[in-house]
Amino acid sequence: MNTTKTAVHFTDNYLLNPTNPISVNLIGGGGTGSKVLTALMEINESLIALGHAGLQVRLWDDDVITSANLGRQRFAESEIGLYKSVALINRCNRWAGTNWKAKTVKFEKDKFGRLPEDARAIITITCVDNVQARFGVAEILKEISYRRYYQDVPKYWLDFGVRHESRI
């Protein structure tokens, strides 16, 4: 008797044949997030070459580049003082001709409990360095999922599990 189970993954049909670029919220533009953004840019180029609508990315990071970020993150000395999200998104847009967006605020509810503007996306990717931020993202995604929107309904959340203690 064969007890081996075959792993099955179902992909939402919209992701395979979208009418518009797939919206992606990338949260965190540090060591991991900057590399994920580069991968998303490469994926976008491949998707478009295959006739797919591609991706529309928003990078959320309110952190400013410092000299401590040089070397282990994808930043140059000339970018010190810029927002990480702005530097990275500008680089992608210049290289690939995209119109991706930088958000220079945290992906969190405001002091009145309101959702961040542009919080809705089909795919959310977190590259944050603390558990509290992940819980905040989970709460926002749960609230968005319960609301009835006709576009940008959350379908996937990928967490890259960066821990503060494991940073170099």
Side-chain angles (χ1 to χ4, degrees), residues 46-105:
S46 296
L47 288 171
I48 290 170
L50 293 170
H52 189 278
L55 305 173
Q56 178 60 44
V57 177
R58 280 186 298 269
L59 174 60
W60 298 74
D61 199 316
D62 69 330
D63 204 6
V64 172
I65 302 164
T66 66
S67 59
N69 302 130
L70 304 181
R72 66 181 184 83
Q73 297 180 10
R74 294 196 175 185
F75 300 110
E77 190 171 338
S78 62
E79 295 172 315
I80 291 175
L82 299 175
Y83 282 104
K84 291 179 179 181
S85 56
V86 171
L88 291 167
I89 289 294
N90 282 344
R91 196 179 306 155
C92 287
N93 288 341
R94 285 191 306 268
W95 185 85
T98 53
N99 189 23
W100 292 359
K101 304 298 180 191
K103 302 295 281 186
T104 58
V105 296

Side-chain angles (χ1 to χ4, degrees), residues 103-145:
K103 302 295 281 186
T104 58
V105 296
K106 290 184 189 243
F107 187 86
E108 64 184 9
K109 291 183 176 182
D110 68 13
K111 63 183 177 182
F112 302 108
R114 293 181 297 220
L115 297 175
E117 187 177 328
D118 297 327
R120 294 176 308 189
I122 293 172
I123 298 172
T124 298
I125 303 171
T126 45
C127 300
V128 297
D129 60 6
N130 67 75
V131 174
Q132 184 179 3
R134 286 186 191 86
F135 282 128
V137 170
E139 185 178 322
I140 289 169
L141 292 178
K142 186 177 180 181
E143 189 171 328
I144 290 170
S145 295

